[in-house]
Amino acid sequence: MSLTLRTISREQHLAYIQSLPSASHMQVPAWADVKAEWRSENLGWFDERTGEMVGAGLVLYRQLPKIKRYLAYLPEGPVINWFAPNLDDWIQPMLAHLKQQGAFSVKMGPPVIIRRWNAETIKKGIQSPDVKRLRDMEADFIEPRAFEVADKLRRMGWQQGEDGGAGFGDVQPRYVFQVPLANRSLEEVHKNFNQLWRRNIKKAEKAGVEVVQGGYQDLEEWQRLYEITAVRDHFRPRPLSYFQRMWTALNSEDPNRMRLYFARHNGVNLSAATMLIVGGHVWYSYGASDNIGREVRPSNAMQWRMLRDAYALGATVYDLRGISDSLDETDHLFGLIQFKVGTGGQAAEYLGEWDFPLNKLLHKALDIYMSRR
């Protein structure tokens, strides 16, 4: 297949995404409005023979301080046939185009999963003194074609980004936790939860925890819980304006792109979460909770409701997003994987983010600048 690449309209881009079973929420045109501090461009790949669009990418450009050169970033993209035998023919025109646009370096995150570990395997790993990381265990599923993709990228001159390495604080997680929903009943999904999760869901029900959906007007209440969480977990919270922009941008593109949930007890909101939907892929994206009311298990109740809603939407996967690959109980991120493993899903490892230095000197300068921050 001979391919051509050109800039496309947002409408063309959205129509293409809507024709697919799913794509990353960071590759929908509206994501450009969420990341308002970046310049953006929509790219389309076309089959020369038929004129049909066969791939798309959202590119975000971040300007270097003081000079008109850019880092070009395709978060969890582009949306192309990554297993195509002629991967070169997809990637090279993109690099040539981005160079013309003034990019000195390109960063992308192929949405390709290499390995998956089932919850049972992870539990055994946690109990084994020899296992410190996910990769210390044999995976339950391996995608051999993913290794071919990595080889091809290396041969083209792409460099594998370090885990959580450079970037502008926007580096995407390499390891995520997902609950597969395709061809499963809700009863099966619930049965697969561990005992503690099932017990906590029951406890919340008994206590009368209510889970409700909120709207734009409730984002201030979301922010209150989110800022409490930020203090407790020692991270810098995003401002309220970010979530307001996210809501407006994503839901004007598709009224069901972003949802907000609250778990409340006796009229008091105890936990909250945002949910994103693109086709059959549903993400639990941000979570927040108060320091009070934990004994009535609001977070478990909320996740169960979100998972049921995802199922009702016909989702094939409920994605709990990032985890660390550490299975060491002393690791500060261990609680996160422990909580998510309780859902009986799978840990998935993506190919990770890759960099292509179009200008080696500026790319190196950026690396040094980022390492000092």
Side-chain angles (χ1 to χ4, degrees):
M1 176 166 57
S2 299
L3 296 164
T4 51
L5 174 99
R6 61 175 182 266
T7 302
I8 54 172
S9 70
R10 287 177 65 137
E11 291 71 30
Q12 279 174 294
H13 186 163
L14 182 59
Y16 181 71
I17 295 289
Q18 285 168 337
S19 75
L20 304 172
S22 75
S24 168
H25 60 275
M26 294 180 196
Q27 281 295 308
V28 300
W31 194 251
D33 301 329
V34 179
K35 296 289 169 192
E37 68 279 19
W38 300 67
R39 180 166 73 84
S40 68
E41 187 184 21
N42 309 79
L43 296 180
W45 280 259
F46 293 84
D47 179 344
E48 275 179 10
R49 211 169 28 95
T50 62
E52 188 194 353
M53 190 161 146
V54 288
L58 174 69
V59 188
L60 302 173
Y61 293 98
R62 172 65 72 92
Q63 190 173 345
L64 264 189
K66 300 191 177 76
I67 58 168
K68 279 202 84 110
R69 299 302 293 276
Y70 303 86
L71 167 73
Y73 182 35
L74 294 97
E76 298 185 0
V79 185
I80 59 173
N81 177 9
W82 283 95
F83 300 135
N86 60 333
L87 192 58
D88 252 32
D89 298 351
W90 294 77
I91 301 293
Q92 295 307 348
M94 179 181 86
L95 287 176
H97 174 83
L98 298 175
K99 192 171 189 169
Q100 270 178 336
Q101 295 291 309
F104 68 89
S105 186
V106 182
K107 182 184 275 297
M108 66 177 181
V112 175
I113 287 173
I114 321 185
R115 301 178 182 85
R116 292 182 188 274
W117 294 266
N118 293 335
E120 277 310 311
T121 305
I122 299 169
K123 276 184 224 158
K124 283 182 193 146
I126 290 169
Q127 283 153 9
S128 163
D130 303 329
V131 173
K132 290 282 176 259
R133 301 197 167 276
L134 281 171
R135 283 224 194 153
D136 296 344
M137 300 180 296
E138 206 174 313
D140 293 290
F141 165 84
I142 288 180
E143 173 54 83
R145 294 177 303 173
F147 296 96
E148 288 174 36
V149 174
D151 283 346
K152 285 175 184 171
L153 291 176
R154 269 189 212 99
R155 283 203 297 272
M156 284 182 223
W158 288 83
Q159 299 163 4
Q160 177 78 74
E162 291 301 307
D163 276 346
F168 290 93
D170 276 295
V171 174
Q172 304 316 321
R174 185 162 181 174
Y175 295 90
V176 299
F177 205 86
Q178 300 177 336
V179 180
L181 300 177
N183 309 317
R184 295 174 74 197
S185 68
L186 266 180
E187 290 71 44
E188 277 174 74
V189 174
H190 184 264
K191 219 184 257 165
N192 243 15
F193 284 170
N194 70 13
Q195 221 176 342
L196 185 65
W197 261 81
R198 291 201 301 267
R199 204 164 54 228
N200 286 345
I201 290 167
K202 208 174 238 170
K203 205 179 213 174
E205 268 171 31
K206 262 205 178 120
V209 171
E210 248 192 309
V211 181
V212 297
Q213 263 183 265
Y216 181 88
Q217 69 285 357
D218 302 302
L219 285 169
E220 282 180 29
E221 173 63 359
W222 147 265
Q223 192 71 14
R224 179 185 74 82
L225 291 167
Y226 175 62
E227 286 179 11
I228 291 170
T229 310
V231 171
R232 185 177 65 236
D233 293 348
H234 313 292
F235 65 84
R236 201 167 79 219
R238 290 188 181 276
L240 171 63
S241 58
Y242 180 81
F243 295 102
Q244 289 173 327
R245 192 164 70 230
M246 197 170 169
W247 183 275
T248 308
L250 295 178
N251 288 337
S252 60
E253 177 176 277
D254 177 334
N256 203 21
R257 185 75 83 219
M258 178 176 176
R259 290 184 178 190
L260 178 62
Y261 287 84
F262 291 98
R264 58 172 65 140
H265 185 240
N266 296 335
V268 179
N269 292 318
L270 298 177
S271 62
T274 61
M275 182 161 116
L276 301 175
I277 302 150
V278 184
H281 202 131
V282 171
W283 292 265
Y284 153 57
S285 128
Y286 283 88
S289 59
D290 206 330
N291 299 324
I292 58 165
R294 299 187 137 202
E295 67 287 347
V296 294
R297 305 299 175 197
S299 294
N300 298 89
M302 185 173 64
Q303 286 296 342
W304 177 226
R305 162 74 192 271
M306 287 165 72
L307 212 149
R308 293 200 317 269
D309 285 3
Y311 189 88
L313 287 166
T316 53
V317 62
Y318 180 71
D319 195 322
L320 291 129
R321 287 293 282 165
I323 51 170
S324 150
D325 68 332
S326 172
L327 299 181
D328 180 354
E329 297 189 22
T330 60
D331 191 302
H332 72 290
L333 290 169
F334 177 74
L336 196 61
I337 192 166
Q338 199 175 30
F339 177 74
K340 293 177 182 183
V341 164
T343 61
Q346 303 170 323
E349 179 192 357
Y350 279 91
L351 257 189
E353 296 199 314
W354 294 71
D355 297 300
F356 193 96
L358 290 164
N359 178 319
K360 290 197 168 63
L361 205 67
L362 287 176
H363 181 82
K364 189 88 192 117
L366 175 76
D367 270 357
I368 293 166
Y369 168 70
M370 292 311 297
S371 66
R372 284 186 185 151
R373 285 180 67 178

